């Protein structure tokens, strides 16, 4: 059951974590990856930002076999920022919260050089609003992408809702990817 529309982001986060834990499975993650592979913007992209799945997030690891250059983020404790680095399993470490990321000495790249950004979230709504983990890291990173670069919210269909609460600084997605494929957001 969805939270009422007037509840806080914290209530939505509790609902989304529980829902995601209940629906996450390898078959659904494989279906999301298959849909991305059929999407023309992904097919034409050479430089793709993805994320290394943590917990019950949609796992996109299968995409790393594709003929593309992949990038992931590093979380910096000072300044609450993300940097972008080429994905290289040899230079990954485990963050204190348990997710994998590039080590501090990994060379950073300009986010404006990316062709597509695959963005994790706890939930998304049909207008492209993203419910993140609450620290605003991606809301600070996404504006540094080149104008027109697709920002794809990646989630399970069960976590795609009609409307989520949003703040002025929240950066909306241009597309959403679920087990049913990739579709452009219509406001």
């Amino acid at each position: 059951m969805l939270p009422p529309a007037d509840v806080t982001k914290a209530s939505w986060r509790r609902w989304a974590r529980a829902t995601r834990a209940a629906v996450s499975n390898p078959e659904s993650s494989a279906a999301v990856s298959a849909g991305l592979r059929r999407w023309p913007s992904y097919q034409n992209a050479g430089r793709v930002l993805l994320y290394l799945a943590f917990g019950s997030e949609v796992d996109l690891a299968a995409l790393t076999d594709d003929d593309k250059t992949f990038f992931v983020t590093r979380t910096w404790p000072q300044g609450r920022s993300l940097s972008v680095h080429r994905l290289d399993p040899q230079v990954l470490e485990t963050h204190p919260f348990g997710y994998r990321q590039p080590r501090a000495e990994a060379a950073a790249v300009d986010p404006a050089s990316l062709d597509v950004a695959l963005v994790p979230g706890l939930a998304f709504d049909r207008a492209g609003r993203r419910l993140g983990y609450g620290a605003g890291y991606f809301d600070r990173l996404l504006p540094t992408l080149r104008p027109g670069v697709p920002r794809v919210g990646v989630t399970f269909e069960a976590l795609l809702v009609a409307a989520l609460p949003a703040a002025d600084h929240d950066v909306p997605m241009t597309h959403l990817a679920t087990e049913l494929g990739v579709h452009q957001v219509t406001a």
Side-chain angles (χ1 to χ4, degrees):
M1 174 190 278
L2 293 174
D6 61 347
V7 299
T8 64
K9 283 186 176 185
S11 295
W12 275 102
R13 286 185 183 99
R14 282 190 296 277
W15 168 83
R17 283 187 181 101
T19 300
R20 190 173 69 188
V23 301
S24 178
N25 62 69
E27 295 79 18
S28 294
S29 287
V32 175
S33 293
L36 284 162
R37 285 180 170 135
R38 289 188 301 272
W39 182 47
S41 292
Y42 176 81
Q43 291 173 351
N44 295 328
R47 298 169 63 86
V48 177
L49 177 68
L50 58 75
Y51 59 90
L52 301 173
F54 176 64
S56 57
E57 289 178 332
V58 174
D59 189 349
L60 300 176
L63 295 179
T64 61
D65 292 334
D66 296 349
D67 187 24
K68 304 196 178 301
T69 305
F70 291 97
F71 299 85
V72 294
T73 60
R74 174 181 171 76
T75 305
W76 294 92
Q78 298 82 15
R80 296 185 140 213
S81 64
L82 296 175
S83 54
V84 175
H85 306 262
R86 187 172 181 163
L87 176 58
D88 179 352
Q90 302 301 315
V91 295
L92 294 178
E93 67 182 7
T94 301
H95 186 276
F97 289 150
Y99 55 84
R100 294 174 303 145
Q101 68 175 8
R103 291 194 301 257
E105 64 271 14
V109 300
D110 183 357
S113 70
L114 301 170
D115 298 321
V116 169
L118 305 178
V119 182
L122 287 166
F124 294 87
D125 71 16
R126 299 195 183 282
R129 288 182 289 260
R130 173 181 170 271
L131 180 67
Y133 294 95
Y137 285 98
F138 273 94
D139 291 316
R140 286 186 286 284
L141 174 68
L142 294 173
T144 66
L145 299 176
R146 205 173 55 251
V149 168
R151 300 180 305 270
V152 184
V154 180
T155 192
F156 297 110
E157 190 68 25
L159 292 157
L160 183 56
V161 299
L164 286 168
D168 290 341
H169 66 270
D170 292 340
V171 176
M173 302 297 105
T174 60
H175 296 78
L176 298 169
T178 72
E179 304 93 315
L180 301 181
V182 180
H183 66 274
Q184 188 165 0
V185 170
T186 55

